[in-house]
Amino acid sequence: MSQEEQRIIETDLSCLLPAVTARKNEGCRLVAITATTNGNRYELCYSFDILYRVQTHRVILTKGDALPSITGIYPSAFVYENELQDIFGIAVTSSQAPARDKRPRIRVTYPFEFTIPDGDTLCQNR
Amino acid sequence: MSKQIIIPFGPQHPVLPEPIHLDLVLEDERVVEAIPTIGYIHRGLEKLVEKREFTEYVYVAERICGICSFMHGSTYCEAIETVMGVEVPERAKFLRMIWSEYSRLHSHLLWLGCFGDAMGFENLFMNAWRLREHILDELESTTGGRVIQGAARIGGVRRDISSEKLDDMVAGLVAMEKELHDLINVFFNDDSVKHRTRNIGVVPKDEAYHLGAIGPTGRGSGVPQDMRVTGYGAYGKIRFEPVVETGGDCYARTLVRGKEMFTSIDIIKQAVQKIPDGPIEVKVTGTPNGEAWVRAEQPRGEVVHYVKANGTKHLVRHRVRTPTFAHVPFLVAALKGCDLADVPVIVHSIDPCISCTER
């Protein structure tokens, strides 16, 4: 069992960029951005580390809403934001990421973009 | 400004063991920008939590990577144990640590071989992999598997190691140490190797930290981050110092991995001395309900396993942030300004594991 403290800070979407800026000013390292499908919305977790302590900002994003990019604060966030676009279909705005390969590809589906009819009841055996 | 051209590097390339694509924007022979593309072997393993019970999923987690297979399995188990509040027996923690350090030795030797090959030293490749065989043999004899060990389970481990075998393992490592010194001596002191690695792909400490560099890649730039010092598992019972170099170039990253192998051997020796008797697993009943982030130090750096469960036998989400995934921005920065001929060496210097990255 891990003894690491699991610190989660519920953060409004409108407060995301100020909160991330505050973490940057504290000297935190971006650990990961994780998304979870939850009913008609996504739970986004922005995890930061400083001196082996992780704190996670949890942001709720309604499907169809755009997510402001944090690449202006943490340039390395582009890999996570690209992943959000690719497997969840989340639109990320104002990204300062390197230009993506624009050669035509066949997009079959977004594997994590699905809607569960009964809202928050997750994880039935699909 | 010279005329810019774009040279594609990968996804298939003689020095790449796994597929990643880089669009290298060149002015003459100098790389001015590298645009990465991944996703060629995406396997959707995280999605499988919807189809596999959380106990079965250990086998899937182990298959995220063929090099640090055991560490993915044990970190996933630790995440589930954290959610369920399961305290693993001390002996199991030590066994997990021993197998994890064997995995690190296996990984670093594999990397040294591939790195030597990328520089054009095929003999180094063969010698490094010859030593690696001994490590794989020990993993096979103690877990039953050379590549996928299958030894981790939720609540402990599947197999014990007898005290005679533990002593035998230490004797094998002691015998291997001299050969390892001879091999590492070439990587550390050979003029040709230095010529190919020194002042190549330099990323300073501050930049490396803010780009999220971790593990040997970050420590090669002077970022003293090693998750093992947090004392997770049985690491709190072991004394060791993380290897840190300040050069920030390919040579520094080679030094870190080379020296870390001796740290791993020392950790295994300490573990064999301190491993307590007792059970190797506890019975786990019920289903997980909650979420946990668990981190561990893999051969390439910090790995994060996030699990979220809602009390059913299927997890809501399992997310793995692998070290190589976090190193893509570092790689882009390291390539900027380098010569085209140095690209293979720089790409190899972060020890890319694309299978981990693609999950």
Side-chain angles (χ1 to χ4, degrees), chain B residues 36-121:
Chain B
T37 303
I38 58 174
Y40 293 96
I41 49 169
H42 184 76
R43 292 168 293 159
L45 297 184
E46 291 176 352
K47 183 80 172 164
L48 269 179
V49 290
E50 296 163 19
K51 304 288 184 189
R52 297 281 179 268
E53 294 182 16
F54 73 98
T55 46
E56 297 172 322
Y57 193 80
V58 181
Y59 305 112
V60 179
E62 287 184 326
R63 281 155 178 80
I64 290 171
C65 180
I67 300 170
C68 35
S69 157
F70 176 78
M71 296 164 98
H72 274 298
S74 62
T75 312
Y76 166 77
C77 289
E78 196 175 343
I80 295 291
E81 288 154 5
T82 303
V83 172
M84 299 181 77
V86 174
E87 192 56 55
V88 174
E90 279 296 300
R91 187 171 179 85
K93 289 181 184 174
F94 271 83
L95 289 170
R96 283 182 182 180
M97 181 171 68
I98 289 170
W99 282 319
S100 294
E101 292 307 317
Y102 264 92
S103 300
R104 196 178 317 280
L105 283 167
H106 151 43
S107 176
H108 283 356
L109 281 166
L110 183 144
W111 175 80
L112 281 171
C114 290
F115 192 57
D117 193 44
M119 289 186 289
F121 295 95

Coordinates of all heavy atoms in Angstrom, one line a residue, chain B residues 36-121:
Chain B
P36 N 7.5 15.6 -33.2 CA 7.3 14.1 -32.9 C 5.9 13.7 -33.2 O 4.9 14.4 -33.1 CB 7.6 14.0 -31.4 CG 7.1 15.4 -30.9 CD 7.3 16.4 -32.0
T37 N 5.8 12.4 -33.7 CA 4.5 11.8 -33.8 C 4.6 10.4 -33.2 O 5.5 9.6 -33.6 CB 4.1 11.7 -35.3 OG1 4.1 13.0 -35.9 CG2 2.7 11.1 -35.5
I38 N 3.7 10.1 -32.3 CA 3.6 8.7 -31.8 C 2.2 8.2 -32.1 O 1.4 8.8 -32.7 CB 3.9 8.7 -30.3 CG1 2.9 9.6 -29.5 CG2 5.3 9.1 -30.0 CD1 3.0 9.5 -28.0
G39 N 2.0 6.9 -31.8 CA 0.7 6.3 -32.0 C 0.7 5.2 -33.0 O -0.4 4.7 -33.4
Y40 N 1.8 4.8 -33.4 CA 1.9 3.7 -34.4 C 1.6 2.3 -33.9 O 1.2 1.5 -34.6 CB 3.3 3.7 -35.1 CG 3.5 5.0 -35.9 CD1 4.2 6.0 -35.4 CD2 3.1 5.1 -37.2 CE1 4.5 7.2 -36.1 CE2 3.3 6.2 -37.9 CZ 4.0 7.3 -37.4 OH 4.2 8.4 -38.1
I41 N 1.8 2.1 -32.6 CA 1.5 0.8 -32.0 C 0.6 0.9 -30.8 O 0.8 0.2 -29.8 CB 2.8 0.1 -31.7 CG1 3.7 0.9 -30.9 CG2 3.5 -0.5 -32.9 CD1 4.9 0.2 -30.3
H42 N -0.3 1.9 -30.9 CA -1.2 2.1 -29.7 C -2.1 0.8 -29.6 O -2.7 0.3 -30.5 CB -2.2 3.3 -30.0 CG -3.1 3.5 -28.8 ND1 -2.7 4.2 -27.7 CD2 -4.4 3.3 -28.6 CE1 -3.7 4.3 -26.8 NE2 -4.7 3.7 -27.4
R43 N -2.1 0.2 -28.3 CA -2.7 -1.1 -28.1 C -4.0 -1.0 -27.3 O -4.7 -2.0 -27.2 CB -1.7 -2.0 -27.4 CG -0.5 -2.4 -28.3 CD 0.6 -3.0 -27.5 NE 1.2 -2.1 -26.6 CZ 1.9 -2.5 -25.5 NH1 2.0 -3.8 -25.3 NH2 2.4 -1.6 -24.7
G44 N -4.3 0.2 -26.7 CA -5.5 0.3 -26.0 C -5.6 -0.5 -24.7 O -6.7 -1.0 -24.3
L45 N -4.5 -0.7 -24.1 CA -4.5 -1.6 -22.9 C -5.3 -0.9 -21.7 O -5.9 -1.6 -20.9 CB -3.0 -1.8 -22.4 CG -2.2 -2.6 -23.4 CD1 -0.8 -2.9 -22.8 CD2 -2.8 -3.9 -23.8
E46 N -5.2 0.4 -21.7 CA -6.0 1.1 -20.6 C -7.5 0.9 -20.8 O -8.2 0.8 -19.8 CB -5.7 2.6 -20.6 CG -4.3 3.0 -20.2 CD -4.0 4.4 -20.3 OE1 -4.8 5.2 -20.9 OE2 -2.9 4.9 -19.9
K47 N -7.9 0.8 -22.0 CA -9.3 0.6 -22.3 C -9.8 -0.8 -21.8 O -11.0 -1.1 -21.6 CB -9.5 0.7 -23.8 CG -10.9 0.6 -24.4 CD -11.7 1.8 -24.2 CE -13.1 1.7 -24.9 NZ -14.0 2.8 -24.5
L48 N -8.8 -1.8 -21.7 CA -9.2 -3.1 -21.4 C -9.7 -3.3 -19.9 O -10.2 -4.3 -19.6 CB -8.0 -4.0 -21.5 CG -7.8 -4.7 -22.9 CD1 -6.5 -5.6 -22.9 CD2 -9.0 -5.6 -23.2
V49 N -9.6 -2.2 -19.1 CA -10.1 -2.3 -17.7 C -11.6 -2.5 -17.8 O -12.2 -3.0 -16.8 CB -9.8 -1.1 -16.8 CG1 -8.3 -1.1 -16.5 CG2 -10.3 0.2 -17.4
E50 N -12.2 -2.1 -18.9 CA -13.7 -2.3 -19.0 C -14.1 -3.8 -19.3 O -15.2 -4.2 -19.1 CB -14.2 -1.4 -20.1 CG -14.1 0.1 -19.8 CD -14.2 0.9 -21.0 OE1 -14.8 0.4 -22.0 OE2 -13.7 2.1 -21.0
K51 N -13.1 -4.6 -19.7 CA -13.4 -5.9 -20.1 C -12.8 -7.0 -19.2 O -13.2 -8.1 -19.2 CB -12.8 -6.2 -21.5 CG -13.3 -5.3 -22.6 CD -14.7 -5.5 -22.9 CE -15.2 -4.6 -24.1 NZ -16.6 -4.7 -24.3
R52 N -11.8 -6.6 -18.4 CA -11.1 -7.5 -17.5 C -11.4 -7.1 -16.0 O -11.3 -6.0 -15.7 CB -9.6 -7.5 -17.8 CG -9.2 -8.0 -19.1 CD -9.3 -9.5 -19.2 NE -8.9 -9.9 -20.6 CZ -9.8 -10.2 -21.6 NH1 -11.1 -10.0 -21.3 NH2 -9.4 -10.6 -22.7
E53 N -11.6 -8.1 -15.2 CA -11.7 -7.9 -13.8 C -10.4 -7.3 -13.2 O -9.3 -7.6 -13.8 CB -12.1 -9.1 -13.0 CG -13.5 -9.6 -13.4 CD -13.9 -10.9 -12.6 OE1 -13.2 -11.2 -11.6 OE2 -14.8 -11.6 -13.1
F54 N -10.5 -6.6 -12.1 CA -9.3 -5.9 -11.6 C -8.2 -6.9 -11.2 O -7.0 -6.5 -11.2 CB -9.7 -5.0 -10.4 CG -10.0 -5.6 -9.2 CD1 -9.0 -5.8 -8.2 CD2 -11.2 -6.1 -8.9 CE1 -9.3 -6.4 -7.0 CE2 -11.6 -6.8 -7.7 CZ -10.6 -6.9 -6.7
T55 N -8.6 -8.1 -10.8 CA -7.6 -9.1 -10.5 C -6.9 -9.7 -11.8 O -5.7 -9.9 -11.8 CB -8.2 -10.3 -9.7 OG1 -9.4 -10.7 -10.4 CG2 -8.5 -9.9 -8.3
E56 N -7.7 -9.8 -12.8 CA -7.1 -10.3 -14.1 C -6.2 -9.3 -14.7 O -5.3 -9.6 -15.5 CB -8.3 -10.7 -15.1 CG -9.2 -11.8 -14.7 CD -10.4 -11.9 -15.6 OE1 -10.9 -10.9 -16.1 OE2 -10.8 -13.0 -15.9
Y57 N -6.5 -8.0 -14.5 CA -5.9 -7.0 -15.2 C -4.4 -6.9 -14.9 O -3.6 -6.3 -15.6 CB -6.6 -5.6 -14.9 CG -6.1 -4.5 -15.8 CD1 -6.7 -4.4 -17.1 CD2 -5.1 -3.6 -15.4 CE1 -6.2 -3.4 -17.9 CE2 -4.7 -2.6 -16.3 CZ -5.3 -2.5 -17.5 OH -4.8 -1.5 -18.4
V58 N -4.0 -7.5 -13.8 CA -2.5 -7.6 -13.5 C -1.7 -8.1 -14.7 O -0.7 -7.6 -15.0 CB -2.2 -8.5 -12.2 CG1 -0.8 -8.5 -11.9 CG2 -3.0 -8.0 -11.0
Y59 N -2.3 -9.1 -15.3 CA -1.6 -9.7 -16.5 C -1.5 -8.7 -17.6 O -0.6 -8.7 -18.4 CB -2.4 -11.0 -17.0 CG -2.6 -12.0 -15.9 CD1 -3.8 -12.3 -15.4 CD2 -1.5 -12.7 -15.3 CE1 -4.0 -13.2 -14.4 CE2 -1.6 -13.6 -14.3 CZ -2.9 -13.9 -13.8 OH -3.0 -14.8 -12.8
V60 N -2.6 -7.9 -17.8 CA -2.5 -6.9 -18.8 C -1.5 -5.8 -18.5 O -0.7 -5.4 -19.3 CB -3.9 -6.2 -19.0 CG1 -3.9 -5.1 -20.1 CG2 -4.9 -7.3 -19.4
A61 N -1.5 -5.4 -17.2 CA -0.5 -4.4 -16.8 C 0.9 -4.8 -17.0 O 1.8 -4.0 -17.4 CB -0.7 -4.0 -15.3
E62 N 1.2 -6.1 -16.8 CA 2.5 -6.6 -17.0 C 2.9 -6.6 -18.4 O 4.1 -6.6 -18.8 CB 2.6 -8.1 -16.5 CG 2.6 -8.2 -15.0 CD 2.8 -9.6 -14.6 OE1 2.3 -10.5 -15.3 OE2 3.4 -9.8 -13.5
R63 N 1.9 -6.6 -19.3 CA 2.3 -6.6 -20.8 C 2.4 -5.2 -21.4 O 2.5 -5.0 -22.6 CB 1.2 -7.4 -21.5 CG 1.6 -8.9 -21.4 CD 0.4 -9.8 -21.5 NE 0.8 -11.2 -21.4 CZ 1.0 -11.8 -20.3 NH1 0.9 -11.2 -19.1 NH2 1.4 -13.1 -20.2
I64 N 2.3 -4.2 -20.5 CA 2.5 -2.8 -21.0 C 3.9 -2.7 -21.6 O 4.1 -2.1 -22.6 CB 2.3 -1.8 -19.9 CG1 0.8 -1.7 -19.5 CG2 2.8 -0.4 -20.3 CD1 0.5 -0.9 -18.3
C65 N 4.9 -3.4 -21.0 CA 6.2 -3.3 -21.4 C 6.9 -4.6 -21.3 O 6.6 -5.4 -20.4 CB 7.0 -2.2 -20.6 SG 8.7 -2.1 -21.1
G66 N 7.8 -4.9 -22.2 CA 8.5 -6.2 -22.2 C 9.8 -6.1 -21.4 O 10.5 -7.1 -21.3
I67 N 10.1 -4.9 -21.0 CA 11.4 -4.7 -20.2 C 11.2 -4.5 -18.8 O 11.7 -5.2 -17.9 CB 12.2 -3.6 -20.8 CG1 12.5 -3.8 -22.3 CG2 13.5 -3.4 -20.1 CD1 13.1 -2.6 -23.1
C68 N 10.3 -3.6 -18.4 CA 10.0 -3.4 -17.0 C 8.6 -4.0 -16.7 O 7.8 -3.4 -16.0 CB 10.0 -1.9 -16.7 SG 9.5 -0.8 -18.0
S69 N 8.4 -5.1 -17.3 CA 7.1 -5.8 -17.1 C 6.7 -6.0 -15.6 O 5.6 -5.7 -15.2 CB 7.2 -7.2 -17.8 OG 6.3 -8.1 -17.3
F70 N 7.7 -6.5 -14.8 CA 7.4 -6.8 -13.4 C 7.0 -5.5 -12.7 O 6.1 -5.5 -11.9 CB 8.6 -7.5 -12.7 CG 8.3 -7.7 -11.3 CD1 7.5 -8.7 -10.8 CD2 8.8 -6.8 -10.3 CE1 7.3 -8.9 -9.5 CE2 8.5 -6.9 -9.0 CZ 7.8 -8.0 -8.6
M71 N 7.7 -4.4 -13.0 CA 7.5 -3.2 -12.3 C 6.1 -2.6 -12.6 O 5.4 -2.0 -11.8 CB 8.6 -2.2 -12.6 CG 9.9 -2.7 -12.1 SD 11.3 -1.9 -12.7 CE 11.6 -0.7 -11.4
H72 N 5.6 -2.8 -13.9 CA 4.3 -2.3 -14.2 C 3.3 -3.1 -13.4 O 2.3 -2.6 -12.9 CB 4.0 -2.5 -15.7 CG 4.5 -1.3 -16.5 ND1 4.0 0.0 -16.3 CD2 5.4 -1.2 -17.5 CE1 4.5 0.8 -17.2 NE2 5.4 0.2 -17.9
G73 N 3.5 -4.4 -13.4 CA 2.5 -5.3 -12.6 C 2.5 -5.0 -11.2 O 1.4 -4.8 -10.6
S74 N 3.7 -4.8 -10.6 CA 3.7 -4.6 -9.1 C 3.2 -3.2 -8.8 O 2.6 -3.0 -7.7 CB 5.1 -4.8 -8.6 OG 6.0 -3.8 -9.1
T75 N 3.4 -2.2 -9.6 CA 2.9 -0.8 -9.4 C 1.4 -0.8 -9.5 O 0.7 -0.1 -8.7 CB 3.6 0.2 -10.3 OG1 5.0 0.0 -10.3 CG2 3.3 1.6 -9.9
Y76 N 0.9 -1.5 -10.5 CA -0.6 -1.6 -10.6 C -1.2 -2.3 -9.3 O -2.1 -1.8 -8.8 CB -1.0 -2.4 -11.8 CG -2.4 -2.8 -11.9 CD1 -3.4 -1.9 -12.2 CD2 -2.8 -4.1 -11.5 CE1 -4.7 -2.3 -12.2 CE2 -4.1 -4.5 -11.5 CZ -5.1 -3.6 -11.8 OH -6.4 -4.0 -11.8
C77 N -0.5 -3.4 -8.9 CA -1.0 -4.0 -7.7 C -0.9 -3.1 -6.5 O -1.9 -3.1 -5.7 CB -0.1 -5.3 -7.4 SG -0.3 -6.6 -8.5
E78 N 0.1 -2.3 -6.4 CA 0.2 -1.4 -5.3 C -0.9 -0.3 -5.3 O -1.4 0.1 -4.3 CB 1.6 -0.7 -5.3 CG 1.9 0.0 -4.0 CD 3.4 0.6 -3.9 OE1 4.2 0.2 -4.8 OE2 3.6 1.4 -3.1
A79 N -1.3 0.1 -6.5 CA -2.4 1.1 -6.7 C -3.7 0.5 -6.2 O -4.4 1.1 -5.4 CB -2.5 1.5 -8.1
I80 N -3.9 -0.8 -6.6 CA -5.2 -1.5 -6.1 C -5.1 -1.7 -4.6 O -6.1 -1.5 -3.9 CB -5.3 -2.8 -6.8 CG1 -5.6 -2.6 -8.3 CG2 -6.5 -3.6 -6.2 CD1 -6.9 -2.0 -8.7
E81 N -3.9 -2.1 -4.1 CA -3.8 -2.3 -2.6 C -4.0 -1.0 -1.9 O -4.5 -1.0 -0.8 CB -2.3 -2.8 -2.3 CG -2.2 -4.3 -2.8 CD -0.7 -4.6 -3.1 OE1 0.2 -3.7 -2.9 OE2 -0.5 -5.7 -3.6
T82 N -3.6 0.2 -2.5 CA -3.8 1.5 -1.8 C -5.3 1.8 -1.7 O -5.8 2.2 -0.7 CB -3.0 2.6 -2.6 OG1 -1.6 2.2 -2.7 CG2 -3.2 3.9 -1.9
V83 N -6.0 1.5 -2.8 CA -7.4 1.8 -2.8 C -8.1 0.9 -1.8 O -9.0 1.3 -1.1 CB -8.0 1.6 -4.2 CG1 -9.5 1.6 -4.2 CG2 -7.5 2.6 -5.2
M84 N -7.7 -0.4 -1.7 CA -8.4 -1.3 -0.8 C -7.8 -1.3 0.6 O -8.4 -2.1 1.4 CB -8.3 -2.7 -1.4 CG -9.0 -2.8 -2.8 SD -8.9 -4.5 -3.5 CE -10.2 -5.3 -2.6
G85 N -6.8 -0.6 0.8 CA -6.2 -0.6 2.2 C -5.5 -1.9 2.5 O -5.5 -2.2 3.7
V86 N -4.9 -2.6 1.6 CA -4.3 -3.8 1.8 C -2.8 -3.6 2.2 O -2.1 -2.9 1.4 CB -4.4 -4.8 0.6 CG1 -3.5 -6.0 0.8 CG2 -5.8 -5.1 0.3
E87 N -2.4 -4.2 3.3 CA -1.0 -4.0 3.7 C -0.2 -5.3 3.3 O -0.6 -6.4 3.7 CB -0.9 -3.8 5.2 CG 0.5 -3.4 5.7 CD 1.1 -2.2 5.0 OE1 0.4 -1.1 5.1 OE2 2.2 -2.2 4.5
V88 N 0.7 -5.2 2.4 CA 1.4 -6.3 1.9 C 2.5 -6.8 2.9 O 3.1 -6.0 3.5 CB 2.1 -5.9 0.5 CG1 3.0 -7.0 0.0 CG2 1.0 -5.5 -0.5
P89 N 2.7 -8.1 3.0 CA 3.7 -8.6 4.0 C 5.1 -8.1 3.6 O 5.4 -7.9 2.4 CB 3.7 -10.1 3.8 CG 2.3 -10.4 3.2 CD 2.0 -9.2 2.4
E90 N 5.9 -7.9 4.6 CA 7.3 -7.3 4.4 C 8.1 -8.1 3.4 O 8.8 -7.6 2.6 CB 8.0 -7.2 5.7 CG 7.6 -6.0 6.6 CD 8.0 -4.7 5.9 OE1 9.2 -4.5 5.7 OE2 7.1 -3.9 5.7
R91 N 8.0 -9.5 3.5 CA 8.8 -10.3 2.7 C 8.5 -10.1 1.2 O 9.3 -10.0 0.3 CB 8.7 -11.8 3.0 CG 9.6 -12.7 2.3 CD 9.6 -14.1 2.8 NE 10.5 -15.0 2.0 CZ 11.8 -15.1 2.2 NH1 12.4 -14.4 3.2 NH2 12.6 -15.9 1.5
A92 N 7.2 -9.9 1.0 CA 6.7 -9.7 -0.4 C 7.3 -8.3 -0.9 O 7.6 -8.2 -2.1 CB 5.2 -9.7 -0.5
K93 N 7.3 -7.3 0.0 CA 7.9 -6.0 -0.5 C 9.3 -6.2 -0.9 O 9.8 -5.6 -1.9 CB 7.7 -5.0 0.7 CG 6.3 -4.5 1.0 CD 6.3 -3.5 2.1 CE 4.9 -3.1 2.5 NZ 4.9 -2.2 3.7
F94 N 10.1 -7.0 -0.1 CA 11.5 -7.2 -0.4 C 11.7 -7.9 -1.7 O 12.5 -7.6 -2.5 CB 12.2 -7.9 0.7 CG 12.8 -7.0 1.8 CD1 11.9 -6.5 2.8 CD2 14.1 -6.6 1.8 CE1 12.4 -5.6 3.8 CE2 14.6 -5.8 2.7 CZ 13.8 -5.3 3.7
L95 N 10.8 -8.9 -1.9 CA 10.9 -9.7 -3.2 C 10.6 -8.8 -4.4 O 11.2 -8.9 -5.4 CB 10.0 -10.9 -3.1 CG 10.4 -12.0 -2.2 CD1 9.3 -13.0 -2.0 CD2 11.7 -12.7 -2.7
R96 N 9.5 -8.0 -4.2 CA 9.2 -7.0 -5.3 C 10.4 -6.1 -5.6 O 10.7 -5.8 -6.7 CB 8.0 -6.2 -4.9 CG 6.7 -6.9 -5.0 CD 5.5 -5.9 -4.7 NE 4.2 -6.6 -4.7 CZ 3.1 -6.0 -4.5 NH1 3.1 -4.8 -4.1 NH2 2.0 -6.7 -4.6
M97 N 11.1 -5.7 -4.5 CA 12.2 -4.8 -4.7 C 13.4 -5.5 -5.4 O 14.0 -5.0 -6.3 CB 12.7 -4.2 -3.4 CG 13.9 -3.3 -3.5 SD 14.2 -2.5 -1.9 CE 14.8 -3.9 -0.9
I98 N 13.6 -6.7 -5.0 CA 14.7 -7.5 -5.7 C 14.4 -7.7 -7.2 O 15.3 -7.4 -8.0 CB 14.9 -8.9 -5.0 CG1 15.5 -8.7 -3.6 CG2 15.8 -9.8 -5.8 CD1 15.5 -9.9 -2.7
W99 N 13.2 -8.1 -7.5 CA 12.9 -8.3 -8.9 C 12.9 -7.0 -9.7 O 13.2 -6.9 -10.8 CB 11.5 -9.0 -9.0 CG 11.6 -10.5 -8.8 CD1 12.6 -11.3 -9.2 CD2 10.7 -11.3 -8.0 NE1 12.3 -12.6 -8.7 CE2 11.2 -12.6 -8.0 CE3 9.5 -11.0 -7.4 CZ2 10.5 -13.7 -7.4 CZ3 8.8 -12.1 -6.8 CH2 9.3 -13.4 -6.8
S100 N 12.5 -5.9 -9.0 CA 12.5 -4.6 -9.7 C 13.9 -4.2 -10.0 O 14.2 -3.7 -11.1 CB 11.9 -3.5 -8.7 OG 10.5 -3.8 -8.6
E101 N 14.9 -4.5 -9.1 CA 16.3 -4.1 -9.3 C 16.9 -5.0 -10.4 O 17.7 -4.5 -11.2 CB 17.1 -4.1 -8.1 CG 16.7 -3.0 -7.1 CD 16.7 -1.6 -7.7 OE1 17.6 -1.3 -8.4 OE2 15.7 -0.9 -7.4
Y102 N 16.5 -6.2 -10.4 CA 16.9 -7.1 -11.5 C 16.4 -6.6 -12.9 O 17.1 -6.6 -13.9 CB 16.4 -8.6 -11.3 CG 17.5 -9.4 -10.7 CD1 17.5 -9.6 -9.3 CD2 18.5 -10.1 -11.4 CE1 18.5 -10.3 -8.7 CE2 19.5 -10.8 -10.8 CZ 19.5 -11.0 -9.5 OH 20.5 -11.7 -8.9
S103 N 15.1 -6.1 -12.8 CA 14.6 -5.5 -14.1 C 15.4 -4.3 -14.5 O 15.6 -4.1 -15.7 CB 13.1 -5.1 -13.8 OG 12.3 -6.2 -13.5
R104 N 15.8 -3.5 -13.5 CA 16.6 -2.3 -13.8 C 17.9 -2.7 -14.5 O 18.4 -2.1 -15.5 CB 16.8 -1.5 -12.6 CG 17.3 -0.1 -12.8 CD 17.5 0.7 -11.5 NE 16.4 0.5 -10.6 CZ 15.2 1.1 -10.6 NH1 15.0 2.0 -11.6 NH2 14.3 0.8 -9.7
L105 N 18.6 -3.7 -13.9 CA 19.8 -4.2 -14.5 C 19.6 -4.7 -15.9 O 20.4 -4.4 -16.8 CB 20.4 -5.4 -13.6 CG 21.1 -5.0 -12.3 CD1 21.2 -6.2 -11.4 CD2 22.4 -4.3 -12.6
H106 N 18.6 -5.5 -16.1 CA 18.2 -6.0 -17.4 C 18.0 -4.9 -18.4 O 18.5 -4.9 -19.5 CB 17.0 -6.9 -17.2 CG 16.1 -7.0 -18.4 ND1 16.5 -7.2 -19.7 CD2 14.7 -7.0 -18.4 CE1 15.5 -7.3 -20.5 NE2 14.4 -7.2 -19.7
S107 N 17.2 -3.9 -17.9 CA 16.9 -2.7 -18.8 C 18.2 -1.9 -19.2 O 18.4 -1.6 -20.3 CB 15.9 -1.8 -18.1 OG 15.6 -0.7 -18.9
H108 N 19.0 -1.6 -18.2 CA 20.2 -0.8 -18.5 C 21.2 -1.5 -19.4 O 21.8 -0.9 -20.2 CB 20.8 -0.4 -17.1 CG 20.1 0.7 -16.4 ND1 19.0 1.4 -17.0 CD2 20.3 1.3 -15.2 CE1 18.6 2.3 -16.1 NE2 19.4 2.3 -15.1
L109 N 21.3 -2.8 -19.2 CA 22.2 -3.6 -20.0 C 21.7 -3.6 -21.4 O 22.4 -3.5 -22.4 CB 22.4 -5.0 -19.5 CG 23.4 -5.1 -18.3 CD1 23.3 -6.4 -17.6 CD2 24.8 -4.9 -18.8
L110 N 20.4 -3.8 -21.5 CA 19.7 -3.8 -22.9 C 20.0 -2.5 -23.5 O 20.4 -2.4 -24.7 CB 18.2 -4.1 -22.7 CG 17.4 -4.2 -24.0 CD1 16.3 -5.2 -23.9 CD2 16.8 -2.9 -24.4
W111 N 19.8 -1.4 -22.8 CA 20.0 -0.1 -23.3 C 21.5 0.2 -23.7 O 21.7 0.7 -24.8 CB 19.6 1.0 -22.3 CG 19.9 2.4 -22.8 CD1 19.1 3.1 -23.7 CD2 21.0 3.2 -22.6 NE1 19.7 4.3 -24.0 CE2 20.9 4.4 -23.3 CE3 22.1 3.0 -21.7 CZ2 21.8 5.4 -23.3 CZ3 23.0 4.0 -21.7 CH2 22.9 5.2 -22.5
L112 N 22.4 -0.2 -22.9 CA 23.8 0.0 -23.2 C 24.1 -0.7 -24.5 O 24.9 -0.2 -25.4 CB 24.7 -0.6 -22.1 CG 24.9 0.3 -20.8 CD1 25.6 -0.5 -19.8 CD2 25.7 1.6 -21.2
G113 N 23.6 -1.9 -24.7 CA 23.8 -2.6 -25.9 C 23.3 -1.9 -27.2 O 24.0 -1.6 -28.1
C114 N 22.0 -1.5 -27.0 CA 21.4 -0.7 -28.2 C 22.1 0.6 -28.4 O 22.2 1.0 -29.6 CB 19.9 -0.5 -27.9 SG 18.9 -2.0 -27.9
F115 N 22.5 1.2 -27.3 CA 23.2 2.5 -27.5 C 24.5 2.4 -28.2 O 24.9 3.1 -29.1 CB 23.4 3.1 -26.1 CG 23.8 4.6 -26.1 CD1 23.1 5.5 -26.7 CD2 25.0 5.0 -25.5 CE1 23.4 6.9 -26.7 CE2 25.4 6.3 -25.5 CZ 24.6 7.3 -26.1
G116 N 25.3 1.3 -27.8 CA 26.5 1.0 -28.5 C 26.3 0.7 -29.9 O 27.0 1.2 -30.8
D117 N 25.2 0.0 -30.2 CA 24.9 -0.3 -31.6 C 24.6 0.9 -32.4 O 25.0 1.1 -33.6 CB 23.7 -1.3 -31.6 CG 23.6 -1.9 -33.0 OD1 24.6 -2.3 -33.6 OD2 22.4 -2.0 -33.5
A118 N 23.8 1.9 -31.7 CA 23.4 3.1 -32.4 C 24.6 4.0 -32.7 O 24.6 4.7 -33.7 CB 22.5 3.9 -31.5
M119 N 25.7 3.8 -31.9 CA 26.9 4.6 -32.2 C 27.8 3.9 -33.2 O 28.8 4.4 -33.6 CB 27.7 4.8 -30.9 CG 27.1 5.7 -29.9 SD 28.2 6.0 -28.5 CE 28.1 4.5 -27.7
G120 N 27.5 2.6 -33.5 CA 28.3 1.9 -34.5 C 29.3 0.9 -33.9 O 30.2 0.4 -34.5
F121 N 29.1 0.6 -32.5 CA 30.0 -0.3 -31.8 C 29.2 -1.6 -31.6 O 28.6 -1.8 -30.5 CB 30.4 0.3 -30.5 CG 31.3 1.5 -30.7 CD1 30.7 2.8 -30.6 CD2 32.6 1.4 -30.9 CE1 31.5 3.9 -30.8 CE2 33.4 2.5 -31.1 CZ 32.9 3.8 -31.1

